[in-house]
Amino acid sequence: MTNQDLIQSHSKYIMDTYARFPVAISHGKGATLYDFDGKAYIDFASGIGVNSIGYGNEAWVQAITEQAMKLGHISNLYYSAPAVRLAETLCTRTGMDKVFFANSGAESNEGLIKLARKYSHDKYGPDRGTVVTLMQSFHGRTITTLAATGQDVFHNHFFPFTPGFRHALAGELDSVKAACESDTCAVLIELIQGEGGVLPLEKSFVQEIAALCKERDLLLLIDEVQTGIGRTGTLFAFQQYDIAPDAVSFAKGIAGGLPLGGFLVNEKCGGVLGPGTHATTFGGNPMGAAAAAAVLDILTDEVLAEVVEKGRYIQGKILEMDSPYVAGVRGAGLMLGVTLREIGHRALAEKLNDGGLLALTAGSDTLRFLPPLTITCEEIDAGLAILQSVLQK
Ligand SMILES: *Cc1c(COP(=O)(O)O)cnc(C)c1O
């Protein structure tokens, strides 16, 4: 089979909802991928931050294989071991109290929204269900998480959207304060807005939001679907902000490529969603949980410290390239955005693909890198060499 064979059959049977690159991936090892024609690519994308430990990691494959032979699935009406082990690790490494497992980022964020609305309803009664989010945010593709997303382009076609969201300006506390009217139950933010353009929030701004939430008994909800699971150099990005969130969602990188998400809550919120209030068939599925436990075993504090080092190294090298197209670099750990001028982000990403480097776009003018956290220095240098040759043209 060639790339072209696959692409043709794909278009015949699969709906055309993605702006796909003409790249068909067959397999990978480490942070290197191969297409059906045998061409190699350095991966600075990780399937949008999912393949956190790269491809073909032996401990991960073994964990999944062993679990598949024991127990592939069991309903949440019974107890099973992998989810317990994973939950204990997540709580211990974050200081959070409890976890709910889901399947995707959007579903995990829906859980955060339900948590906040129920917390508020239990305590204050109805009419206090509005969630404040930020402009340029991205929280998912369900009708409710699209409504939460603070970008007008997403508020189209699918009317009516779920009511109960208000969007404030990122970086402007007065705007957040004004949005938090008496009907508000929570503030939901990403700490680095990923899809919006790799836009980090100032630490002081986040701390001021945290103080505001505390003062008004609003839940502080952090969407760490992209920033979580080591991506920014700590297990969760909130651990760099000296804040104590009420709830934190995760998904993308948690299981290294299997679909798993969820959210962590503090002690105050641990009992809010009681039996019958929230559920999902596959949540905490043994396969996903076993894979995630293997990922967390690999992402030790030493590996996370290397994520910080690798990120700094890449940022420095890009600035040294002194390309007419590069306006700046931002981000943390291995979540990096290169702001561009005189070239479109999509056009540049396509040129990089041709050169053998997979990269993502974000916002309107940003090239985004989310390489596997375990990428080697050799692979980083190989990727940067491709980037340099394309940026010099
Ligand atoms: C990707 C993403 C989502 C949506 O996750 P899905 O798994 O695609 O539903 C939500 N929030 C953020 C910050 C994301 O990056």
Side-chain angles (χ1 to χ4, degrees):
M1 184 166 56
T2 65
N3 290 341
Q4 217 39 53
D5 295 338
L6 187 84
I7 290 171
Q8 262 166 24
S9 312
H10 187 285
S11 329
K12 186 157 191 276
Y13 296 111
I14 295 184
M15 282 197 265
D16 191 23
T17 63
Y18 298 90
R20 287 181 215 274
F21 294 103
V23 174
I25 297 298
S26 154
H27 62 282
K29 187 72 196 166
T32 306
L33 288 163
Y34 300 88
D35 71 13
F36 288 88
D37 298 340
K39 176 176 165 178
Y41 300 83
I42 300 293
D43 183 18
F44 276 15
S46 306
I48 319 189
V50 169
N51 299 88
S52 43
I53 53 164
Y55 305 88
N57 180 288
E58 277 163 27
W60 181 81
V61 171
Q62 193 184 344
I64 294 169
T65 310
E66 283 175 8
Q67 188 57 46
M69 290 195 284
K70 257 192 262 174
L71 180 70
H73 178 78
I74 187 78
S75 104
N76 279 312
L77 300 174
Y78 310 104
Y79 297 88
S80 67
V84 178
R85 178 179 165 220
L86 174 61
E88 183 179 357
T89 306
L90 283 169
C91 291
T92 308
R93 289 180 70 176
T94 57
M96 299 298 281
D97 192 49
K98 283 192 167 63
V99 63
F100 177 88
F101 289 116
N103 307 285
S104 70
E107 190 197 8
S108 304
N109 289 335
E110 292 249 357
L112 295 185
I113 294 159
K114 283 179 72 176
L115 174 84
R117 288 185 173 172
K118 179 148 190 310
Y119 172 84
S120 188
H121 192 271
D122 288 350
K123 201 162 166 184
Y124 301 99
D127 306 322
R128 194 177 179 277
T130 295
V131 176
V132 170
T133 68
L134 298 178
M135 298 299 286
Q136 275 86 51
S137 61
F138 180 80
H139 297 298
R141 293 280 190 166
T142 61
I143 295 284
T144 297
T145 54
L146 281 174
T149 292
Q151 300 186 53
D152 287 341
V153 291
F154 289 105
H155 304 150
N156 220 328
H157 316 301
F158 309 112
F159 304 101
F161 289 94
T162 310
F165 294 93
R166 214 173 282 124
H167 308 115
L169 296 172
E172 298 199 17
L173 187 67
D174 286 344
S175 170
V176 178
K177 277 190 173 156
C180 290
E181 295 173 25
S182 61
D183 64 354
T184 303
C185 64
V187 179
L188 167 63
I189 57 175
E190 298 162 86
L191 296 171
I192 301 177
Q193 298 181 311
E195 302 302 311
V198 193
L199 307 166
L201 298 189
E202 289 282 341
K203 188 169 179 176
S204 57
F205 174 64
V206 173
Q207 291 183 334
E208 282 161 348
I209 292 179
L212 177 75
C213 287
K214 201 165 178 196
E215 182 193 311
R216 302 197 190 169
D217 196 18
L218 311 172
L219 293 195
L220 176 59
L221 311 175
I222 313 288
D223 177 350
E224 293 235 29
V225 169
Q226 195 158 147
T227 53
I229 319 302
R231 180 53 55 192
T232 69
T234 44
L235 192 61
F236 285 87
F238 82 81
Q239 294 168 309
Q240 295 172 45
Y241 280 79
D242 296 318
I243 51 166
D246 293 297
V248 181
S249 62
F250 56 84
K252 290 199 164 95
I254 176 94
L258 263 61
L260 181 72
F263 57 95
L264 288 150
V265 297
N266 65 7
E267 222 173 323
K268 180 168 96 177
C269 296
V272 170
L273 294 172
T277 60
H278 197 47
T280 183
T281 296
F282 287 110
N285 163 280
M287 301 291 293
V295 168
L296 293 184
D297 282 348
I298 291 163
L299 299 182
T300 59
D301 288 345
E302 295 75 57
V303 169
L304 296 182
E306 285 168 25
V307 167
V308 174
E309 287 306 309
K310 288 172 187 170
R312 288 203 184 117
Y313 175 81
I314 295 173
Q315 291 207 31
K317 286 287 174 189
I318 292 171
L319 292 174
E320 271 172 31
M321 285 176 197
D322 199 25
S323 163
Y325 300 130
V326 174
V329 191
R330 62 185 169 225
L334 288 173
M335 178 171 182
L336 298 172
V338 182
T339 43
L340 303 172
R341 55 184 170 220
E342 290 170 40
I343 188 165
H345 54 4
R346 172 82 189 190
L348 181 59
E350 283 169 8
K351 282 187 188 167
L352 292 172
N353 289 347
D354 291 344
L357 178 67
L358 297 188
L360 301 160
T361 61
S364 57
D365 65 352
T366 302
L367 189 70
R368 177 171 42 149
F369 296 148
L370 304 170
L373 305 178
T374 51
I375 189 170
T376 63
C377 296
E378 293 72 28
E379 286 167 322
I380 289 174
D381 283 337
L384 288 171
I386 295 164
L387 181 66
Q388 166 134 34
S389 76
V390 170
L391 285 177
Q392 291 323 314
K393 272 178 203 159

